[in-house]
Amino acid sequence: MIFQNLLTARKDRILYVTINRESKLNALNKLTLAELHACMYNAFSDPQVGGIIVTGAGTKAFVAGADISEFAEFDIDQGRELAHEGHTKVFDMIENGNKPVIAAINGFALGGGLELAMACHIRIAADTARMGLPEVTLGIIPGYGGTQRLTQLVGKGKALEMIMTADMINASEALTLGLVNHVVAPDQLLIKAEEILNKILLRAPLAIASAITAINASVRNDQNGFEVEINEFSKCFGTDDFKAGVLAFMNKQNAHFTGK
Ligand code: COA
C-alpha cells in the first residue's frame, strides 16, 4: 500500500512504519491518522507480518502531537468526534492488536505522539527523546487516551503532575518512571527495537496475541481480567502451536511455530 504521510517497509516478518511529515515534526493530521488506521488494519491481518515498529521521520521528532492547525476552530461536538474517532480507529486499535507493536521514540513525543507511543505495547527511546502531554497549554486535555494510559504506566500522582504542568521529561526520567522500557543511543534505536521484536517473533504468535488480550484486560473496567486470562489460556490448548511447543520441549529442541 502506498501512503502519503507514512513510509512502510517490510523486512522478513517486521513491518517498519515511519510517520513521514518531517516539516511538521510528524504531527498527526487527519490523513496521517486515516493512513495509520489502514496500515495497522492491514498489518494485523497480513500473515507475512509478525510485528510492527513505529517511528518518526528525521532525528528531531517521533510525533509532536495532533495537528493543532486542524482543530483550531473546533466546537464541542467536533472535539468529541475527533477524540472518539482517534480512540477507536487508531489508538485502541493498536493497543488491542493481535501482533506486537513497538514504538521507537526518536525525538519529541508530545501530546498525540506520546499517546501513540503509549498505545504501542513496548516503548524504546533514544537518549535524545523528550516526552510530554502539553495539551493544557492549548486549553484542552489529552484526548487520544493520554489521561488513561499515562496513569496506567506511571501512576496517578506523576500523571497528574505531568499533565497539569505540561512539562516535558527526558528519556532517562521516562525510564525511571516506567514510561519507556529501554533508553539507547539514537543509532541503536531500531537495533534495540528489532532485537526485542525478533525475540518475540520466535514465540508462539497466537499465545502472544492471547497475552496482549489478557494483559490489556487488566486495566479495563468492563472486563474481568482473571476471566479473560482463563479464556485466553484455554484457547491456547486448541492450537497447533501448543502441540509444537510442548513436543519440542519434550524432544529438547527449539519449536517452530506456525501461528495456527
Ligand atoms: N501541530 C501542527 N504543527 C506542528 C505541531 C503540531 N502539534 N508541532 C510542530 N508543528 C509544526 C510547527 O508549526 C512548525 O511548522 P512551520 O515551520 O510551518 O511553522 C514545524 O512543525 C516545526 O516546529 P517548530 O515549533 O518551529 O519547532 P521548534 O523546534 O521551535 O519546537 C516543539 C519544537 C516540539 C517544542 C514545538 O513544535 C511544539 O511545541 N509543538 C507542539 C507540541 C504540542 O503542543 N503538542 C500537543 C498537540 S495536542
Side-chain angles (χ1 to χ4, degrees):
M1 249 180 139
I2 305 289
F3 298 108
Q4 197 175 307
N5 292 339
L6 300 181
L7 298 172
T8 60
R10 190 169 58 78
K11 194 170 90 190
D12 300 325
R13 295 179 61 217
I14 300 181
L15 179 71
Y16 297 80
V17 178
T18 304
I19 299 166
N20 189 33
R21 288 185 82 211
E22 203 178 334
S23 67
K24 296 290 178 190
L25 302 187
N26 305 320
L28 298 173
N29 63 355
K30 219 174 159 191
L31 177 63
T32 311
L33 287 166
E35 290 187 344
L36 265 174
H37 169 78
C39 178
M40 290 297 173
Y41 183 88
N42 288 341
F44 290 144
S45 51
D46 182 347
Q48 293 186 301
V49 174
I52 301 133
I53 295 175
V54 180
T55 194
T59 53
K60 191 166 171 182
F62 173 71
V63 167
D67 192 316
I68 298 165
S69 66
E70 281 191 346
F71 59 73
E73 307 289 328
F74 273 17
D75 62 19
I76 291 174
D77 289 337
Q78 289 169 304
R80 179 182 299 279
E81 177 68 10
L82 181 74
H84 188 260
E85 283 266 312
H87 274 246
T88 51
K89 293 202 172 146
V90 181
F91 297 81
D92 293 355
M93 186 202 183
I94 291 173
E95 181 171 56
N96 295 318
N98 59 352
K99 295 172 186 174
V101 185
I102 298 187
I105 305 171
N106 54 308
F108 286 116
L110 302 175
L114 183 55
E115 290 174 301
L116 177 63
M118 292 193 294
C120 296
H121 303 118
I122 293 174
R123 284 155 292 285
I124 320 289
D127 57 19
T128 49
R130 303 192 69 198
M131 287 156 256
L133 293 178
E135 283 85 349
V136 295
T137 65
L138 301 168
I140 54 175
I141 64 168
Y144 287 147
T147 61
Q148 306 303 297
R149 291 193 180 96
L150 186 67
T151 305
Q152 288 157 8
L153 286 165
V154 307
K156 185 178 166 190
K158 198 66 202 178
L160 278 164
E161 182 183 337
M162 279 181 67
I163 291 172
M164 293 197 300
T165 62
D167 279 348
M168 287 187 216
I169 60 171
N170 63 30
S172 73
E173 288 173 287
L175 183 65
T176 305
L177 290 173
L179 181 53
V180 300
N181 300 56
H182 300 276
V183 174
V184 294
D187 64 352
Q188 295 298 304
L189 186 61
L190 289 181
I191 293 168
K192 184 70 184 173
E194 285 164 8
E195 178 195 312
I196 293 173
L197 193 46
N198 278 324
K199 195 178 279 183
I200 297 170
L201 294 180
L202 293 174
R203 316 306 180 207
L206 294 173
I208 297 296
S210 283
I212 292 171
T213 302
I215 292 166
N216 282 347
S218 73
V219 290
R220 290 182 58 154
N221 294 327
D222 60 339
Q223 292 182 342
N224 179 330
F226 290 95
E227 290 295 334
V228 174
E229 182 184 276
I230 291 168
N231 192 35
E232 293 297 324
F233 178 75
S234 66
K235 268 169 55 184
C236 294
F237 287 83
T239 65
D240 291 351
D241 282 351
F242 163 64
K243 294 179 182 65
V246 172
L247 189 66
F249 176 80
M250 299 293 191
N251 292 330
K252 302 195 184 302
Q253 292 169 342
N254 290 325
H256 295 290
F257 295 113
T258 58
K260 290 182 183 144

